[in-house]
Amino acid sequence: MTDAATGREPRQERSRATRHRLLEAALECLADVGWSASTVGRVAALAGVSRGAVQHHFPTREALFTAAVRHINGRRTEELTRRAAALPHGPGRTEAVVRMLVESYTGREFAAAVQLWAAAANDPALRAHVLPLEEDVGREAHRNALDLLGADESQPGVRESVQATLDLARGLGLADLLTDDRVRRTRIIEQWARTLDGVLART
Amino acid sequence: MTDAATGREPRQERSRATRHRLLEAALECLADVGWSASTVGRVAALAGVSRGAVQHHFPTREALFTAAVRHINGRRTEELTRRAAALPHGPGRTEAVVRMLVESYTGREFAAAVQLWAAAANDPALRAHVLPLEEDVGREAHRNALDLLGADESQPGVRESVQATLDLARGLGLADLLTDDRVRRTRIIEQWARTLDGVLART
């Protein structure tokens, strides 16, 4: 929002916009060049802000990139919620939900997250930032999937089948990193939705 | 084999041993420090051979590390074949097979492969080496899983369900990169096996 009297954005708004630009730039950077080449300087240049401004928002490189992945996860959740309104009810819903979930693990956002995961496996400082992030992301994805599927996890096998759906989605996302795996993925989604319908209906 | 007359290994045997040591060192290196820090010099030092010797066996860094992942994949297949003899027949077999397959996507070998995948996503030269490797590995893993499960993929849904099992395994492996995910994984394996038994029996 621009302050009508001065023609300038209020400081808080400007700060929020800078932060947002930094997060988006960090995400682009991670997806494009991986963790080791994703320096704070590179992100600052990409976002068009000074290194000092980056440090004002994020004290460390680890904090910057972890915040970026948290940011895109929040955006993904919003996107899923928005698209959920258009999903069919009754037959076909499970397949539509599984497709939507699986597709949310492909693309540049997922590619960036994989770079962060892979780097955290060998970097204790980064890992300390990524672990709580992963826990939050996992919990949110699980709750989301339960809601979308209308699944009752007090029934035997349901909790595990919903978690398996998300692990399958992550595996399919990994397969899609290097090649366009869409055709194979579509067949797997269709079959898994049929199977999952069986598990959910049995309960 | 040592030549009794000279006390030295024949040249071919020595060369094979050096190659094997290089592949193992490359694997350790990838798993420990990731792609960007995995230089040819580091692998040479770890294996205790000269850089010249590395270049004799592998013309490029990409060739060395791709060969290392191909090497551990071969070892994994042998290991699966060896362990398959001890698997139960009849009830319980599907779960034992799924557990064995999923566990083969955890540990240092898988961690090394993830580092290579992640790096290949941003590196066209490496990607050109990794793509044919991934195709071979995927084909072999699929054939292996079909055999172990005694699955007939001419039946509807079977091919996709077996592939989904391997994608699930990869997703679970990714979840295990940063934390010990064993307890959750065990419950998912048990439920997946029950579901898969349903698909295989239906055919």
Side-chain angles (χ1 to χ4, degrees):
Chain A
M1 207 182 299
T2 304
D3 185 313
T6 63
R8 291 190 309 184
E9 301 168 74
R11 180 198 290 245
Q12 206 185 345
E13 189 64 24
R14 234 165 39 229
S15 171
R16 201 176 302 146
T18 302
R19 185 185 151 89
H20 186 264
R21 220 154 61 231
L22 282 172
L23 294 174
E24 295 284 334
L27 169 68
E28 287 302 306
C29 211
L30 255 186
D32 281 349
V33 299
W35 169 254
S36 62
S38 286
T39 59
V40 170
R42 192 169 195 144
V43 174
L46 199 60
V49 307
S50 69
R51 287 184 58 120
V54 185
Q55 256 137 23
H56 170 73
H57 286 277
F58 304 101
T60 62
R61 182 180 172 221
E62 288 78 13
L64 166 61
F65 286 95
T66 312
V69 172
R70 198 179 279 279
H71 164 71
I72 51 160
N73 186 65
R75 207 171 58 191
R76 184 173 67 179
T77 305
E78 282 168 23
E79 167 88 3
L80 288 177
T81 306
R82 199 179 53 71
R83 289 178 52 199
L87 290 177
H89 289 274
R93 181 173 179 93
T94 302
E95 187 179 316
V97 171
V98 171
R99 172 167 299 115
M100 190 173 87
L101 291 175
V102 169
E103 297 303 333
S104 80
Y105 284 82
T106 59
R108 287 174 66 73
E109 282 83 1
F110 182 71
V114 167
Q115 297 299 332
L116 200 71
W117 261 319
N122 302 316
D123 181 333
L126 182 57
R127 186 197 200 103
H129 278 80
V130 171
L131 282 182
L133 165 66
E134 283 313 305
E135 207 172 302
D136 294 347
V137 167
R139 200 183 304 116
E140 194 166 306
H142 181 74
R143 203 175 40 223
N144 227 314
L146 276 177
D147 279 358
L148 290 168
L149 290 165
D152 173 7
E153 65 176 347
S154 70
Q155 299 300 316
V158 167
R159 181 180 173 79
E160 291 75 15
S161 297
V162 170
Q163 290 206 356
T165 303
L166 297 171
D167 286 294
L168 171 66
R170 199 158 37 199
L172 288 168
L174 205 51
D176 199 61
L177 256 196
L178 301 186
T179 47
D180 182 349
D181 195 38
R182 212 165 316 181
V183 175
R184 190 184 76 95
R185 188 165 66 235
T186 300
R187 288 199 302 261
I188 291 178
I189 289 168
E190 287 166 3
Q191 174 58 30
W192 175 244
R194 266 194 295 274
T195 308
L196 188 58
D197 256 340
V199 175
L200 298 178
R202 222 188 289 140
T203 65
Chain B
M1 206 182 299
T2 305
D3 184 314
T6 63
R8 290 192 309 188
E9 300 168 75
R11 181 198 288 244
Q12 207 186 342
E13 189 64 24
R14 235 166 40 228
S15 171
R16 201 175 302 146
T18 302
R19 186 185 150 88
H20 185 263
R21 219 155 61 230
L22 282 171
L23 294 173
E24 295 283 335
L27 169 67
E28 287 303 305
C29 211
L30 255 186
D32 282 348
V33 300
W35 169 253
S36 62
S38 287
T39 59
V40 170
R42 192 167 195 146
V43 173
L46 200 59
V49 306
S50 70
R51 287 184 59 119
V54 184
Q55 256 137 22
H56 169 73
H57 286 277
F58 304 100
T60 62
R61 181 181 173 221
E62 288 79 12
L64 166 62
F65 286 96
T66 311
V69 171
R70 198 179 278 278
H71 164 70
I72 51 158
N73 186 64
R75 205 170 60 191
R76 184 174 66 179
T77 305
E78 283 168 23
E79 167 89 3
L80 288 177
T81 307
R82 199 178 53 70
R83 288 179 54 200
L87 290 177
H89 289 274
R93 182 174 179 92
T94 301
E95 187 178 318
V97 170
V98 171
R99 173 168 298 115
M100 191 173 86
L101 290 174
V102 168
E103 297 303 334
S104 80
Y105 284 83
T106 58
R108 286 175 66 71
E109 282 83 2
F110 182 71
V114 167
Q115 297 298 333
L116 200 71
W117 261 319
N122 302 315
D123 180 333
L126 182 58
R127 187 197 201 104
H129 279 79
V130 170
L131 282 182
L133 165 66
E134 283 312 305
E135 207 171 301
D136 294 347
V137 166
R139 201 184 301 117
E140 194 166 305
H142 181 74
R143 203 176 40 224
N144 227 316
L146 275 177
D147 279 358
L148 290 168
L149 291 165
D152 173 6
E153 66 176 347
S154 70
Q155 299 300 316
V158 167
R159 181 180 174 78
E160 290 75 17
S161 297
V162 170
Q163 289 205 356
T165 303
L166 296 171
D167 286 296
L168 170 71
R170 202 159 33 201
L172 288 169
L174 205 52
D176 199 61
L177 257 196
L178 300 187
T179 46
D180 182 349
D181 195 38
R182 212 166 316 185
V183 175
R184 190 184 76 95
R185 189 165 66 235
T186 299
R187 288 198 302 261
I188 291 178
I189 289 169
E190 287 166 3
Q191 174 58 27
W192 186 270
R194 266 194 293 275
T195 310
L196 188 59
D197 257 339
V199 175
L200 298 178
R202 225 187 289 141
T203 64

